[in-house]
Amino acid sequence: MSSTDVVVPINYLDLCRICLAENHLTDILMFGETSIQWIKDIKTYFNVQLQFNDHKSTKLCRRCIHKIESWRRDMRYAVNSQIIIDFFDRRVQSVMGIDVEED
């Protein structure tokens, strides 16, 4: 190593598991009973698998937590919208005399 090389220690356990941010971190395993849902949602949304016995960071930054919360709201909105669309579709088919198949 030359005299101009700089060694910067990095504690990889204190990085956001998604984006590698170092600030405003929360350990999702500290969310109690909801930790399981967070693990599932992180896998679904980011395709990153966290585990309770992980030897890697289980922390997320505020920005990544916000992304998942926003995604959850969008998913709920889409499901509710689909219910309304399905209702309208059944109603139109009924008025038109078309047999309506239940999903």
Side-chain angles (χ1 to χ4, degrees), residues 11-22:
N11 184 354
Y12 71 96
L13 294 175
D14 287 328
L15 297 174
C16 175
R17 183 69 175 264
I18 305 304
C19 72
L20 303 178
E22 298 179 85

Side-chain angles (χ1 to χ4, degrees), residues 12-40:
Y12 71 96
L13 294 175
D14 287 328
L15 297 174
C16 175
R17 183 69 175 264
I18 305 304
C19 72
L20 303 178
E22 298 179 85
N23 299 317
H24 309 291
L25 301 174
T26 302
D27 190 338
I28 62 124
L29 298 184
M30 299 299 159
F31 288 171
E33 293 178 15
T34 63
S35 293
I36 294 170
Q37 189 59 51
W38 276 93
I39 289 171
K40 289 178 184 177

Side-chain angles (χ1 to χ4, degrees), residues 37-99:
Q37 189 59 51
W38 276 93
I39 289 171
K40 289 178 184 177
D41 289 348
I42 291 165
K43 173 67 173 156
T44 301
Y45 186 70
F46 289 111
N47 199 27
V48 170
Q49 183 66 53
L50 281 84
Q51 300 174 1
F52 281 97
N53 60 349
D54 235 331
H55 299 290
K56 303 171 192 169
S57 174
T58 55
K59 297 175 182 174
L60 295 183
C61 69
R62 212 179 300 164
R63 193 172 124 241
C64 289
I65 288 173
H66 176 72
K67 285 180 182 180
I68 292 172
E69 290 171 338
S70 177
W71 170 74
R72 285 175 174 167
R73 281 189 302 274
D74 291 345
M75 291 292 290
R76 281 191 301 271
Y77 186 80
V79 166
N80 291 335
S81 295
Q82 187 62 48
I83 291 168
I84 293 168
I85 292 295
D86 290 344
F87 170 78
F88 287 143
D89 182 57
R90 283 191 303 275
R91 185 83 171 134
V92 167
Q93 288 183 28
S94 176
V95 168
M96 296 178 68
I98 301 170
D99 285 335

